[in-house]
Amino acid sequence: QVQLVESGGGVAHLGGSLTLSCAAHGFTFNTHVAGWFRQFPGKGREGIATISFSGGHRFYAYADSIADRFHVSIDDVRTTMYLHMTALKPEDAGTYFCAAVALTNFNGEWPEPSTGLVSWGEGTPVTVRL
């Protein structure tokens, strides 16, 4: 059974850094596409990073809003994915989720939640203070 557990959320200062973790259970990052999403109060989830694996290589795609400030790393031994966030802004505050979908169910875009194909963690909150 695929499970994801986020941790590392908390309070960071404006311009500061924070690293989130996503522990994967029941799958590896070589068989699944993984990603980070965030959600702001009253709004839908925004995808900010997608990590795929093909031909022995890992590919990283980032949303423009965070591309020059956040990056993802994966520890295959610990089957843990990290989101390294720097230069935090007030608009980065929200709940951060990691997600995974089997490579065979990914055609370049994340399936709609209604398909049930995507596994989600419970989320971890990030607050940015002045």
Side-chain angles (χ1 to χ4, degrees), residues 60-94:
Y60 300 81
Y62 298 98
D64 289 343
S65 58
I66 57 90
D68 57 347
R69 300 183 295 121
F70 296 5
H71 76 274
V72 173
S73 65
I74 290 176
D75 184 332
D76 290 299
V77 174
R78 293 183 173 84
T79 58
T80 299
M81 177 174 65
Y82 303 93
L83 179 66
H84 306 276
M85 305 186 292
T86 65
L88 285 163
K89 304 176 181 180
E91 54 264 41
D92 293 320

Side-chain angles (χ1 to χ4, degrees), residues 6 20 36-48 90-98 113 120-127:
E6 302 97 336
L20 307 182
W36 284 99
F37 292 72
R38 63 185 182 183
Q39 188 167 16
F40 308 118
K43 298 195 175 181
R45 290 181 187 179
E46 171 195 20
I48 58 174
E91 54 264 41
D92 293 320
T95 302
Y96 284 71
F97 300 85
C98 59
W120 296 91
E122 293 295 316
T124 187
V126 172
T127 301

Side-chain angles (χ1 to χ4, degrees), residues 51-65:
I51 303 87
S52 57
F53 186 84
S54 177
H57 298 282
R58 193 157 277 152
F59 298 90
Y60 300 81
Y62 298 98
D64 289 343
S65 58

